[in-house]
Amino acid sequence: MYRDISFDDRMDTVDFDVGERAHITVDTEVCRSCTTKACVAACPAKLFVPTGDGGILFNYEQCFECGTCYQICNNAGAISWTYPDGGHGVVFRKS
């Protein structure tokens, strides 16, 4: 069972070994035609930010690698998702 701790305290148990290759890429041109921007609401790390011109800003460096963005996206080709290169990505430490 998980202890009842704050999000910030939980995040203190997570490290990110960021690889040079982005494991998620976002095609902002495809995103401009999206009417739901579901990735913005669905990403638990809040890594998707809508822009004023209808696009999306995305930063993969603190990604939990859950794949939610890829699964929820309703525009084919908008999000390309793979696992990070070996030895890189999120590392969960026991608190």
Side-chain angles (χ1 to χ4, degrees):
M1 177 140 194
Y2 289 106
R3 296 179 315 182
D4 187 20
I5 63 173
S6 71
F7 179 78
D8 289 333
D9 288 341
R10 175 94 46 212
M11 287 304 297
D12 286 341
T13 68
V14 178
D15 290 326
F16 298 93
D17 184 359
V18 179
E20 289 184 31
R21 179 188 64 86
H23 65 286
I24 297 176
T25 57
V26 176
D27 185 329
T28 57
E29 289 305 312
V30 175
C31 293
R32 287 185 208 296
S33 66
C34 178
T35 58
T36 65
K37 304 287 192 264
C39 59
V40 174
C43 178
K46 310 252 184 268
L47 300 179
F48 292 84
V49 178
T51 63
D53 64 354
I56 293 285
L57 289 177
F58 173 72
N59 188 352
Y60 74 95
E61 284 86 355
Q62 293 188 327
C63 177
F64 295 132
E65 301 167 31
C66 65
T68 301
C69 59
Y70 181 74
Q71 294 295 321
I72 200 155
C73 180
N74 64 349
N75 285 353
I79 297 175
S80 299
W81 191 96
T82 61
Y83 285 107
D85 292 334
H88 296 286
V90 67
V91 178
F92 296 98
R93 293 177 277 121
K94 187 172 181 172
S95 58

